[in-house]
Amino acid sequence: DAGVIQSPRHEVTEMGQEVTLRCKPISGHNSLFWYRQTMMRGLELLIYFNNNVPIDDSGMPEDRFSAKMPNASFSTLKIQPSEPRDSAVYFCASSTGTLDTQYFGPGTRLTVL
Amino acid sequence: AQSVSQHNHHVILSEAASLELGCNYSYGGTVNLFWYVQYPGQHLQLLLKYFSGDPLVKGIKGFEAEFIKSKFSFNLRKPSVQWSDTAEYFCAVMGGSYIPTFGRGTSLIVHP
């Protein structure tokens, strides 16, 4: 299995621009998680999907952030407009169920200038 | 609400030294516990996990962890570290919410 796939691996953009991060979970996994990792705040859960439905989005920092999962094999995390404080590594993870091990993708390193 | 505390933020050891990283959690019910490792420039990957049964759990690369329910702890141990163990280590707890909560992580540097 290819594992969790994320794209792009690196993104550099200017403040105010729209950023879209993409994730392909492991086939057969029905839970998908988006995390943000920074030096200051560590690893934060942003949103969690189960069977393509958002279950908990309480970690989404503000309305500039949105996430979708149109089908079982694809999810996006969008930031519009982006700000320098959004600079971080964004990880996607998937699992076969809510109690199972999470498998993380390689992450997208976002830099907002 | 569940929470995780990793007391050691930075640990520096020489090769062959023994390692113990502390992890304490806060949750009153049944928990599932995890240790993940993040090698430099890489993504998080599972080291070991505890769901039930024997509280002493053995993982990959010689790591083990012991679940002590009375102390709400799940400390990670390795008897002899190697330079290649240099990484960030994260403890995670999953309680009633079925959503894992991660600790802030412990940065381990092993000098050759």
Side-chain angles (χ1 to χ4, degrees), chain B residues 13-89:
Chain B
L13 296 172
S14 297
E15 275 194 320
S18 64
L19 170 72
E20 181 160 3
L21 301 182
C23 173
N24 285 90
Y25 67 92
S26 174
Y27 185 73
T30 301
V31 292
N32 298 320
L33 297 157
F34 306 82
W35 275 99
Y36 285 84
V37 61
Q38 185 178 25
Y39 296 104
Q42 297 188 27
H43 58 284
L44 278 80
Q45 53 188 288
L46 183 71
L47 261 184
L48 48 80
K49 61 184 178 183
Y50 171 81
F51 279 11
S52 64
D54 189 344
L56 184 61
V57 180
K58 295 192 182 298
I60 61 172
K61 303 187 180 185
F63 285 91
E64 65 178 31
E66 184 174 14
F67 170 49
I68 303 179
K69 189 175 182 179
S70 61
K71 295 184 178 180
F72 297 90
S73 70
F74 190 56
N75 292 353
L76 181 70
R77 300 193 292 251
K78 185 171 183 178
S80 177
V81 295
Q82 300 173 314
W83 174 79
S84 58
D85 293 325
T86 294
E88 189 96 12
Y89 292 82

Side-chain angles (χ1 to χ4, degrees), chain A residues 15-31:
Chain A
M15 183 174 63
Q17 297 297 307
E18 177 180 296
V19 174
T20 299
L21 311 181
R22 297 172 176 80
C23 175
K24 176 179 169 54
I26 293 173
S27 177
H29 285 193
N30 59 1
S31 295

Side-chain angles (χ1 to χ4, degrees), chain A residues 9 33 35 37-43 45 48 56 91 98-102 104-107, chain B residues 32 34 36 38 41-46 49 51 88 90 94-95 97-100 102-104:
Chain A
R9 294 293 305 277
F33 305 79
Y35 291 90
Q37 185 180 40
T38 62
M39 290 290 291
M40 292 296 294
R41 301 171 69 93
L43 195 64
L45 177 67
Y48 153 55
D56 187 338
F91 288 103
T98 51
L99 292 178
D100 204 353
T101 304
Q102 295 188 356
F104 283 77
Chain B
N32 298 320
F34 306 82
Y36 285 84
Q38 185 178 25
Q42 297 188 27
H43 58 284
L44 278 80
Q45 53 188 288
L46 183 71
K49 61 184 178 183
F51 279 11
E88 189 96 12
F90 294 89
M94 188 184 295
S97 68
Y98 304 125
I99 297 173
F102 284 82
R104 287 297 305 273

Side-chain angles (χ1 to χ4, degrees), chain A:
Chain A
D1 196 318
V4 176
I5 299 172
Q6 290 187 247
S7 64
R9 294 293 305 277
H10 302 273
E11 177 80 27
V12 179
T13 190
E14 293 187 344
M15 183 174 63
Q17 297 297 307
E18 177 180 296
V19 174
T20 299
L21 311 181
R22 297 172 176 80
C23 175
K24 176 179 169 54
I26 293 173
S27 177
H29 285 193
N30 59 1
S31 295
L32 184 139
F33 305 79
W34 280 101
Y35 291 90
R36 179 172 66 177
Q37 185 180 40
T38 62
M39 290 290 291
M40 292 296 294
R41 301 171 69 93
L43 195 64
E44 303 173 276
L45 177 67
L46 299 178
I47 188 169
Y48 153 55
F49 291 87
N50 191 45
N51 292 323
N52 312 339
V53 176
I55 302 300
D56 187 338
D57 65 354
S58 58
M60 296 286 263
E62 48 197 276
D63 292 345
R64 297 185 298 106
F65 285 69
S66 63
K68 294 182 180 180
M69 193 165 184
N71 56 62
S73 59
F74 183 66
S75 177
T76 59
L77 177 67
K78 185 176 294 186
I79 308 172
Q80 168 62 21
S82 58
E83 297 182 3
R85 60 193 169 116
D86 301 329
S87 297
V89 180
Y90 291 81
F91 288 103
C92 176
S94 70
S95 68
T96 57
T98 51
L99 292 178
D100 204 353
T101 304
Q102 295 188 356
Y103 293 84
F104 283 77
T108 295
R109 182 173 295 277
L110 173 65
T111 302
V112 183
L113 303 174

